[in-house]
Amino acid sequence: MEYTPPGDTLSPGLFNFKTGREITSATDWDKRAKVALSFLTFLEDLNTFHTEPLHLCDVKQDNYGVSADLTIQAIDVDMAFFETKMRGILKQENCTKNQDCDFFDCTSKCDLRRKKCSMHRNNNNLQAICKKIFLGYNSLPFGGLLRSPPADIADRLDEALQECVEPSEYGDQSQRASSETLERIRDLLQEPLQSSEPNR
């Protein structure tokens, strides 16, 4: 199933890694922050609009569009699966290590005793978006949509995004990024936007 929305796709230029020497305008950041906020809303909608979770297994900029009001819409959802189908895909794999259980951006764990993959996804959509869209393909800090943030949120946003990608390294027993992490990222993105709004 494919759906092409009005507006532009997230162009490769939007995701090129920017060095600290390059200066991005506040307006450019505001636009990218609003697109990122739209991604967060999009992820929440996936969990509320359907009777079971929808898993995004091919997360890349070419699969999403940005409409004139900066709303994110899916263009290509050929690799999106509801929970029941996702479990069936993951449990079919034989494995000797966890990496054998990866199905594109949807990961699972290998039961080394049985040499079978778990039917349960190990990561979640938020992690995939943080890694592949917000940070960029190589997980370089701010190589993606959220590159070069305002200085007053840069360190906190970097930490939140890294925790999003690898929650277990930040003391979270779960392997999945949490709703608290989503809210933390949202709050950080809204800070500069609120301060740049004209006084009414």
Side-chain angles (χ1 to χ4, degrees), residues 10 14-15 29 32-41 43 59 61 72 125-137 139-149 157 160-162 164-165 181-182 185-186 189:
L10 297 178
L14 193 62
F15 288 84
W29 168 259
R32 289 186 283 116
K34 288 175 182 176
V35 171
L37 287 167
S38 182
F39 260 113
L40 297 180
T41 300
L43 291 177
V59 174
Q61 70 265 29
I72 289 294
N125 293 332
L126 177 58
Q127 281 170 276
I129 293 293
C130 283
K131 181 176 182 179
K132 304 289 283 292
I133 302 293
F134 291 170
L135 285 172
Y137 282 98
S139 292
L140 293 170
F142 308 120
L145 182 65
L146 296 181
R147 66 183 183 273
S148 305
L157 183 59
L161 292 174
Q162 296 298 338
C164 178
V165 173
T181 299
L182 185 150
I185 294 170
R186 173 180 280 141
L189 293 175

Side-chain angles (χ1 to χ4, degrees), residues 13 19 28 46-47 53 66 69 75 81 84 94 99 140 146 171 173:
T19 68
D28 178 52
L46 291 182
N47 293 328
V66 183
D69 64 355
I75 296 174
F81 305 98
T84 303
N94 295 320
Q99 288 81 356
L140 293 170
L146 296 181
Q173 297 302 312

Side-chain angles (χ1 to χ4, degrees), residues 48 59 61 66 83 102-103 120 122 124 127 162-163 170 173 182 184 189-190 195-196:
T48 57
V59 174
Q61 70 265 29
V66 183
E83 179 76 14
D102 292 353
F103 183 76
H120 300 287
N122 196 43
N124 61 17
Q127 281 170 276
Q162 296 298 338
E163 182 176 351
Y170 286 79
Q173 297 302 312
L182 185 150
R184 185 178 170 202
L189 293 175
Q190 288 174 335
S195 63
S196 66

